[in-house]
Amino acid sequence: MIFEHFALNVNNIEDRIKWYVTYLNLQIASAQQEPPYMTFLADSGGRVIMELYHRPDEEITNFADQHPLTFHLAFVSENSESDKDRLVAHGATYVEEVKKEDGSHLIMLRDPWGMPLQLCQRTTKF
């Protein structure tokens, strides 16, 4: 089995997609123009990683009320400090950061809607 994607039912879907494409360099791999607006996003390498959609008749997780370690999206960053500053300037909020003994630098943010994002500048890449 090969991982394909995970899916999230979210509010503000159009704004979120625009923000993720603009500031996280994700690409729209496929988008449905009518409800529930299923949109598949790919990373900069072209690999689909997640689907966002909006179904108001189903539960929408309020990530702002959860600890960021309960769920977060993690992205490789070559310069986590610079990426943090850029994302915060465009609506993300800073949560915390960890500098590991091996030199890795992990920064936790929240996107403008409260979903946790982690920037991973690892000394040894996965």
Side-chain angles (χ1 to χ4, degrees), residues 53-112:
Y53 64 95
H54 178 68
R55 292 244 352 226
D57 58 323
E58 296 294 333
E59 182 176 351
I60 296 174
T61 303
N62 183 356
F63 293 104
D65 289 344
Q66 296 181 352
H67 191 282
L69 294 180
T70 300
F71 173 87
H72 59 271
L73 300 176
F75 292 90
V76 173
S77 174
E78 297 301 321
N79 187 330
S80 56
E81 192 66 34
S82 174
D83 286 334
K84 173 191 79 172
D85 293 342
R86 179 179 56 79
L87 293 170
V88 167
H90 293 287
T93 55
Y94 173 82
V95 177
E96 65 182 5
E97 61 189 288
V98 174
K99 293 186 178 182
K100 301 183 72 101
E101 288 184 22
D102 71 353
S104 295
H105 189 194
L106 307 175
I107 299 178
M108 190 69 74
L109 305 171
R110 289 187 185 271
D111 74 9

Side-chain angles (χ1 to χ4, degrees), residues 17-37:
I17 291 166
K18 183 177 179 182
W19 195 86
Y20 277 59
V21 168
T22 302
Y23 303 114
L24 293 177
N25 198 31
L26 296 183
Q27 305 159 10
I28 297 172
S30 176
Q32 182 178 326
Q33 300 304 312
E34 62 277 340
Y37 308 106

